[in-house]
Amino acid sequence: MYERILIPTDGSDVAELAVEHALDIAAQYDAEVHALYVVDTNAVAYSLGAEQVDRIRSGNFQGMTELREDAEAATDYVREQADARGLSVIEHISGGQPHEMIADYAEDHDVDLIVIGSHGRSGVRRALLGSVTERTLRSTTVPVLVVDARADDRE
């Protein structure tokens, strides 16, 4: 049923909870796992110049050590957790609008399931613009499992 599972991550606690759910499913179905970190170019556009934002969109993070380190830490977490379960992970970092990049990645890689946290690091932006999760739900026809941070509180 599930051959390829996509885990969009921003490294937040909620994203890490989604990783646990996704990897449990991947282990059950022996699915290929994809970890995706998207640098939100709208969020960084105010602090970076247009040239740097264009470089991020093209996948070039040269000279942007902090962004690259955050991205690698988030996808490395997925890989480390997957390694502990004997699963392999394809890690990918990109730049753009997160919901669009998630939907495009899922389509381009024939993903069968997207597992995403209910919210991440966006704080006030989430309240003003709507969450990446909500926009992802509207942007893709791939099934999406939304892991709510409150689910961890009930256990």
Side-chain angles (χ1 to χ4, degrees), residues 58-80:
S58 68
N60 180 357
F61 295 89
Q62 185 176 10
M64 294 177 237
T65 306
E66 188 175 338
L67 280 176
R68 171 139 320 275
E69 287 174 354
D70 288 348
E72 288 175 351
T75 60
D76 284 350
Y77 176 83
V78 177
R79 184 186 35 76
E80 290 164 4

Side-chain angles (χ1 to χ4, degrees), residues 53-100:
V53 170
D54 287 341
R55 284 181 29 215
I56 290 170
R57 284 188 180 120
S58 68
N60 180 357
F61 295 89
Q62 185 176 10
M64 294 177 237
T65 306
E66 188 175 338
L67 280 176
R68 171 139 320 275
E69 287 174 354
D70 288 348
E72 288 175 351
T75 60
D76 284 350
Y77 176 83
V78 177
R79 184 186 35 76
E80 290 164 4
Q81 298 304 307
D83 286 349
R85 290 172 168 86
L87 299 167
S88 62
V89 174
I90 297 168
E91 298 176 69
H92 187 76
I93 300 168
S94 63
Q97 291 200 344
H99 69 283
E100 291 177 359

Side-chain angles (χ1 to χ4, degrees), residues 89-145:
V89 174
I90 297 168
E91 298 176 69
H92 187 76
I93 300 168
S94 63
Q97 291 200 344
H99 69 283
E100 291 177 359
M101 300 304 293
I102 293 166
D104 289 348
Y105 187 95
E107 183 177 328
D108 293 346
H109 294 87
D110 293 323
V111 166
D112 302 302
L113 178 66
I114 300 169
V115 181
I116 189 169
S118 57
H119 63 278
R121 298 179 184 232
S122 56
V124 174
R125 276 190 92 241
R126 179 178 178 265
L128 296 174
L129 299 177
S131 74
V132 169
T133 302
E134 292 169 33
R135 290 176 180 205
T136 299
L137 287 166
R138 291 192 305 261
S139 300
T140 186
T141 58
V142 174
V144 178
L145 171 61

